[in-house]
Amino acid sequence: AVSVGSGAGQLYQGNYAVAMGLGAGYTSQGGFAVAVGRDAGGSVQGANSVAVGYQAGLTSQGSSAVAIGQAAGNVNQGTYCVAIGFQAGWTNQGYFGIAIGSNAGEYNETGTGNIFIGGFSNPQIGNLQNSIAIVNNSDFLKIILSLKTINFNQILFTIKSIRFIRILIKQIDSQ
């Protein structure tokens, strides 16, 4: 294990773990975990996890999770999650979740398999499961698709215009 910085890797640092920065990987950093930045992976960072940025993966980061950006995956980031961007997946990001963008999936998205793309793409409508939320801030557009009613292979499309998305949503509603 390697630790650089005051309080880095202070209390139980797992085998082959790396902690760099003031308080990075401070307590209970799992084996093969990487924490870079002040307080990154600060308390209970799971094995094979990565936290990069000020307070990324700060408290209870799950195993094999990735948090990149200030306060990304900050509190209770689930196992196998990805959070990239300022406060992406900030609190209670569910297992297998993906949050990309500033404040994407920011609050209490405890459901599994959710994908939030774009700034402030947290729908805050409850415990979603296997859903996608896409926000295009320039068009003030928000889409929420539930994968329980849609075959995921049918979601391979490129968003080119609001008109195309409206047609797609009408088709989904008619099923």
Side-chain angles (χ1 to χ4, degrees):
V2 175
S3 57
V4 178
S6 179
Q10 187 74 33
L11 303 171
Y12 183 73
Q13 188 177 24
N15 291 332
Y16 306 103
V18 176
M20 297 177 67
L22 178 67
Y26 181 80
T27 184
S28 298
Q29 184 183 31
F32 300 93
V34 176
V36 178
R38 182 175 179 168
D39 299 323
S43 177
V44 190
Q45 183 183 26
N48 305 304
S49 291
V50 176
V52 178
Y54 174 64
Q55 294 187 343
L58 176 68
T59 303
S60 298
Q61 183 182 30
S63 296
S64 300
V66 176
I68 300 173
Q70 181 177 331
N74 189 266
V75 178
N76 297 327
Q77 184 183 30
T79 299
Y80 305 114
C81 284
V82 175
I84 300 172
F86 174 77
Q87 292 185 347
W90 187 64
T91 183
N92 297 328
Q93 185 181 20
Y95 294 106
F96 303 102
I98 298 172
I100 300 173
S102 178
N103 302 92
E106 182 180 15
Y107 293 108
N108 295 314
E109 293 305 331
T110 57
T112 60
N114 292 317
I115 300 170
F116 300 99
I117 300 173
F120 297 92
S121 58
N122 185 356
Q124 296 184 8
I125 58 172
N127 188 7
L128 299 173
Q129 301 287 325
N130 301 313
S131 297
I132 299 174
I134 301 170
V135 172
N136 178 342
N137 285 331
S138 63
D139 295 327
F140 302 101
L141 174 69
K142 186 176 281 190
I143 304 168
I144 301 171
L145 303 173
S146 172
L147 299 180
K148 289 182 180 178
T149 59
I150 302 168
N151 181 337
F152 187 72
N153 293 325
Q154 295 172 348
I155 303 178
L156 300 176
F157 60 87
T158 302
I159 298 173
K160 292 188 178 183
S161 70
I162 293 175
R163 181 175 174 220
F164 175 79
I165 293 166
R166 287 181 184 151
I167 292 169
L168 179 65
I169 291 172
K170 286 179 184 177
Q171 289 174 350
I172 292 168
D173 287 341
S174 67
Q175 291 181 355

